[in-house]
């Protein structure tokens, strides 16, 4: 039964976003707002907890969203003489401005404003008096009124820029047409700066890394406030908790898990791909099985049969929104399907946690560590809570997705280059025979590590490192303004002919002699990023790739049923559009 209004924030999920959009779209002037700017504003409010709703137990009766800003900017905005600019809470924000307000009953407005003040105790709250003047349809702030005015004029639907629909293909094309060049690319009403030179990349990621914050906002609905999406002290806290489990110190245990899981994968591969199928999902499941055994002492079946497919569905949704800048038409994608997949993921993770809490003999693994930390922080006054579900999903995906993508590219290269495949198999059989490998065997196969490195160079699983500029800077002569979006193109670095002769060619001799053979290697070869945010699982990923390749080549011959198109899908990691369609024949 409906009752007194309760004021609260919504969880950062696709479902919450949909609820807020549905409510606001029924209230003027949001009914005539241009979709892109309106949706982006609400999405930020939901993801960052910068909103409050009035709920009577059955019905949503009011919504208020705000923007962290500065007093100076807010006062100019309040007087109608300035445009709001966002600021970062905990750094330079000393105020918030209520920019998105709609209610069923004008009497609810005061409660929303009070709740906003309670949630922003150390910040001054600015709002426009027109919200409380008794009108049935409360007015929007100046920030959104401009969008509403634009919506009243005849408009032509803007084409999505190439980088929004095919970022990897666009970056490969840019690397070929303007190698090594840092370039500003128009995107909608704004732009992004693409970095392709080693010097500028090193400045963004290392030398001036504090000036460039992560840009993972579109991934927050899946990964929450976790190691992937956080910055600063909260990121360092998450890193300390999970790092021992993605760079395992118990190497014999990790080796045993890898060999067991990929031996099983290699045995099943010919039956699954004997006639030529996309093997991506098979690799995904094997990689998740490895991560689950290593970090959570169970296997992928504990998450349900469709878990890996649901992960890919939600990641595709998140990446489709990554370039939804002002003036960019949103990508047509099944948001409802993505939300259903996200709900199944949450249910699977909650079930995993529930079963572990009920297990008195639980091992001291990553799951136990995360549960204990979440409980401890929740019981500590003033401590930032730990997003337990978000950390678990991040560990699963970060510990499996990029390795799975890299293995897919490696298998396709072997299938395309049959002569090299036979050469590598010969080295494996000479060094190891048909016994199960151990980690030390990787160094006994001369071409194996160079092959892994060349695969990562040609098709880096993480092709884009996205950052926001905090303050002004200059990159290769390009002026960078605060809030500029900067993309370090790993594709551009790896396809630069100044660093890699004939970069489109598959050549192992580039990596002969190991990392010590090239003093500049760390600046031109970034398959695992660089600086403080370098991938914590890089060493384990190389171990996993090495053992998986040995086990598959001992048991299978790979070939292509038909030539594969060089087209890309960016879904956090870079994959082949249409999948890695291969045929596997048992030896």
């Amino acid at each position: 039964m409906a009752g007194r209004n309760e004021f609260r924030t919504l969880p950062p999920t696709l479902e919450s976003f949909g609820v807020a959009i549905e409510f606001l779209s029924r209230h003027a002037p949001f009914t005539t707002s241009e979709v892109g700017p309106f949706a982006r504003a609400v999405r930020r409010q939901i993801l960052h907890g910068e909103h409050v709703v009035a709920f009577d137990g059955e019905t949503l009766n009011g919504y208020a969203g705000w923007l962290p800003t500065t007093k100076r900017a807010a006062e100019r905005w309040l007087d109608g003489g300035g445009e709001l600019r966002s600021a970062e809470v905990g750094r330079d924000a000393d105020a918030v401005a209520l920019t998105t307000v709609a209610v069923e009953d004008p009497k609810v407005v005061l409660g929303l404003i009070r709740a906003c003040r309670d949630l922003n105790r150390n910040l001054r709250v600015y709002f426009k008096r027109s919200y409380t003047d008794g009108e049935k349809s409360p007015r929007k702030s100046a920030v959104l009124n401009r969008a509403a005015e634009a919506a009243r004029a005849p408009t032509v639907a803007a084409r999505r820029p190439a980088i929004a629909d095919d970022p990897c293909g666009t970056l490969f094309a840019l690397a070929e047409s303007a190698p090594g060049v840092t370039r500003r690319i128009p995107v909608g009403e704004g732009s992004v700066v693409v970095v392709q030179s080693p010097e500028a990349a090193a400045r963004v990621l290392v030398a001036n890394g504090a000036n460039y914050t992560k840009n993972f906002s579109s991934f927050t609905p899946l990964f929450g406030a976790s190691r992937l999406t956080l910055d600063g002290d909260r990121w360092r806290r998450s890193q300390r908790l999970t790092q021992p489990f993605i760079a395992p110190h118990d190497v014999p245990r990790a080796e045993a898990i890898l060999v067991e899981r990929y031996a099983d994968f290699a045995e099943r591969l010919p039956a699954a791909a004997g006639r030529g199928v996309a093997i991506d999902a098979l690799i995904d499941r094997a990689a998740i099985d490895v991560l689950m055994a290593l970090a959570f002492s169970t296997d992928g079946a504990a998450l349900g049969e469709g878990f890996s497919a649901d992960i890919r569905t939600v990641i595709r949704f998140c990446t489709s929104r990554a370039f939804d800048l002002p003036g960019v038409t949103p990508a047509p994608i099944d948001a409802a399907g993505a939300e259903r997949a996200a709900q199944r993921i949450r249910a699977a993770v909650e079930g995993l946690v529930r079963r572990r809490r009920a297990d008195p003999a639980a091992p001291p693994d990553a799951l136990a560590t995360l549960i204990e930390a979440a409980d401890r922080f929740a019981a500590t006054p003033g401590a930032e809570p730990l997003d337990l579900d978000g950390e678990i999903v991040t560990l699963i995906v970060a510990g499996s997705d990029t390795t799975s993508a890299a293995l897919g590219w490696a298998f396709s290269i072997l299938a395309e280059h049959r002569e090299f495949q036979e050469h590598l198999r010969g080295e494996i059989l000479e060094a190891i025979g048909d016994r199960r490998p151990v980690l030390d065997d990787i160094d006994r196969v001369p071409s194996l590590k160079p092959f892994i490195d060349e695969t990562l160079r040609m098709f880096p699983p993480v092709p884009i490192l996205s950052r926001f500029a905090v303050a002004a800077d200059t990159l290769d002569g390009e002026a960078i303004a605060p809030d500029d979006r900067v993309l370090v193109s790993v594709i551009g670095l790896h396809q630069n002919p100044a660093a890699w002769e004939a970069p489109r060619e598959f050549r192992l001799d580039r990596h002969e002699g190991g990392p010590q053979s090239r003093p500049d290697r760390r600046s031109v070869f970034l398959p695992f990023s660089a600086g403080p945010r370098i991938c914590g699982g890089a060493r384990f990923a190389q171990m996993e790739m090495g053992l998986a390749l040995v086990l598959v080549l001992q048991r299978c011959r790979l070939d292509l049923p038909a030539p594969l198109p060089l087209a890309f899908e960016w879904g956090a990691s870079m994959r082949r559009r249409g999948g890695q369609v291969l045929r596997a024949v048992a030896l």
Side-chain angles (χ1 to χ4, degrees), residues 3-201:
R4 187 173 180 179
N5 279 308
E6 174 189 351
F7 298 91
R8 66 191 191 198
T9 57
L10 298 171
T13 65
L14 294 172
E15 182 180 13
S16 299
F17 177 73
V19 167
I21 290 290
E22 194 276 336
F23 177 82
L24 291 167
S25 65
R26 292 190 280 106
H27 295 78
F30 302 100
T31 52
T32 57
S33 293
E34 187 178 4
V35 171
F38 169 49
R40 282 188 292 275
V42 176
R43 183 178 67 180
R44 176 195 167 110
Q45 293 162 6
I46 296 296
L47 295 183
H48 293 270
E50 296 165 356
H51 70 280
V52 65
V53 298
F55 185 71
D56 66 6
E58 292 183 358
T59 308
L60 194 68
N61 291 317
Y63 178 97
W66 56 83
L67 183 74
T69 186
T70 63
K71 292 177 183 177
R72 182 178 179 185
E75 285 165 359
R76 288 202 306 268
W77 164 74
L78 202 62
D79 294 334
E83 181 174 353
L84 277 177
R85 193 180 190 90
S86 65
E88 186 174 342
V89 175
R91 184 177 293 176
D92 51 349
D94 57 4
V96 299
L98 280 166
T99 61
T100 312
V101 179
V103 295
E104 296 287 353
D105 182 346
K107 295 177 183 177
V108 176
V109 172
L110 186 58
L112 290 170
I113 293 173
R114 285 173 176 163
C116 175
R117 285 174 171 161
D118 289 341
L119 291 167
N120 295 279
R121 288 188 178 277
N122 297 320
L123 304 177
R124 187 167 182 178
V125 177
Y126 289 82
F127 60 97
K128 294 206 169 184
R129 293 290 176 184
S130 57
Y131 293 148
T132 55
D133 64 4
E135 292 184 2
K136 201 162 189 177
S137 299
R139 299 173 191 167
K140 284 189 306 179
S141 72
V143 170
L144 293 176
N145 276 339
R146 282 188 291 278
E149 289 164 5
R152 296 186 196 108
T155 58
V156 178
R159 290 182 58 191
R160 283 176 62 80
I163 197 168
D165 279 338
D166 184 11
C168 297
T170 301
L171 293 180
F172 268 102
L174 183 63
E176 188 170 30
S177 63
V181 175
T182 292
R183 176 165 292 180
R184 186 177 292 273
I185 298 178
V187 179
E189 298 169 9
S191 62
V192 297
V193 177
V194 178
V195 169
Q196 299 189 104
S197 77
E199 296 78 17

Side-chain angles (χ1 to χ4, degrees), residues 330-403:
I333 194 165
D334 182 7
E339 175 55 29
R340 288 192 296 271
Q343 289 173 349
R344 290 191 294 269
I345 291 168
R346 286 193 293 273
V349 170
E350 288 166 3
L352 187 71
V353 172
R354 186 169 57 251
R355 290 189 296 275
R356 173 56 65 89
R357 287 187 183 278
D359 182 2
D365 55 10
L367 188 55
T369 298
L370 288 171
I371 291 173
E372 185 278 329
D375 292 346
R376 174 161 40 90
F377 295 141
T380 304
E384 289 281 358
L386 181 76
D387 185 344
L388 180 59
D389 290 354
E391 292 290 358
I392 290 171
V393 174
T394 294
L395 191 53
I396 293 170
V397 176
S400 64
D401 188 68
T402 52
T403 303

Side-chain angles (χ1 to χ4, degrees), residues 152-411:
R152 296 186 196 108
T155 58
V156 178
R159 290 182 58 191
R160 283 176 62 80
I163 197 168
D165 279 338
D166 184 11
C168 297
T170 301
L171 293 180
F172 268 102
L174 183 63
E176 188 170 30
S177 63
V181 175
T182 292
R183 176 165 292 180
R184 186 177 292 273
I185 298 178
V187 179
E189 298 169 9
S191 62
V192 297
V193 177
V194 178
V195 169
Q196 299 189 104
S197 77
E199 296 78 17
R203 180 165 179 80
V204 171
L205 300 174
V206 184
N208 197 25
N211 189 54
Y212 294 92
T213 61
K214 280 190 303 182
N215 174 22
F216 280 102
S217 59
S218 67
F219 290 87
T220 306
L222 176 61
F223 296 103
S226 67
R227 177 175 176 171
L228 179 73
T229 58
L230 291 171
D231 255 323
D233 290 340
R234 291 184 69 190
W235 168 75
R236 281 183 282 274
R237 184 184 74 174
S238 292
Q239 184 198 39
R240 286 194 297 271
L241 286 171
T242 57
Q243 183 60 29
F245 303 100
I246 59 175
H249 299 303
D250 189 350
V251 175
R253 177 173 176 266
E255 177 189 275
I257 289 171
L258 286 168
V259 171
E260 179 186 351
R261 294 307 194 275
Y262 280 106
D264 180 64
F265 170 80
E267 291 290 346
R268 291 184 290 107
L269 186 58
R275 297 185 177 180
V277 297
I279 65 171
D280 306 67
L282 299 173
I283 308 172
D284 285 344
R285 285 196 290 272
I288 288 176
D289 274 347
V290 166
L291 187 282
M292 292 293 292
L294 184 70
F296 301 148
S297 307
T298 185
D299 56 34
L303 297 170
E305 180 63 28
F307 185 84
S308 61
D310 284 338
I311 287 287
R312 299 251 38 95
T313 296
V314 180
I315 286 178
R316 286 190 191 98
F317 177 85
C318 294
T319 52
S320 76
R321 297 291 184 254
F323 289 93
D324 280 2
L325 303 180
V328 176
T329 304
I333 194 165
D334 182 7
E339 175 55 29
R340 288 192 296 271
Q343 289 173 349
R344 290 191 294 269
I345 291 168
R346 286 193 293 273
V349 170
E350 288 166 3
L352 187 71
V353 172
R354 186 169 57 251
R355 290 189 296 275
R356 173 56 65 89
R357 287 187 183 278
D359 182 2
D365 55 10
L367 188 55
T369 298
L370 288 171
I371 291 173
E372 185 278 329
D375 292 346
R376 174 161 40 90
F377 295 141
T380 304
E384 289 281 358
L386 181 76
D387 185 344
L388 180 59
D389 290 354
E391 292 290 358
I392 290 171
V393 174
T394 294
L395 191 53
I396 293 170
V397 176
S400 64
D401 188 68
T402 52
T403 303
S404 177
L407 279 172
W409 288 110
F411 292 143

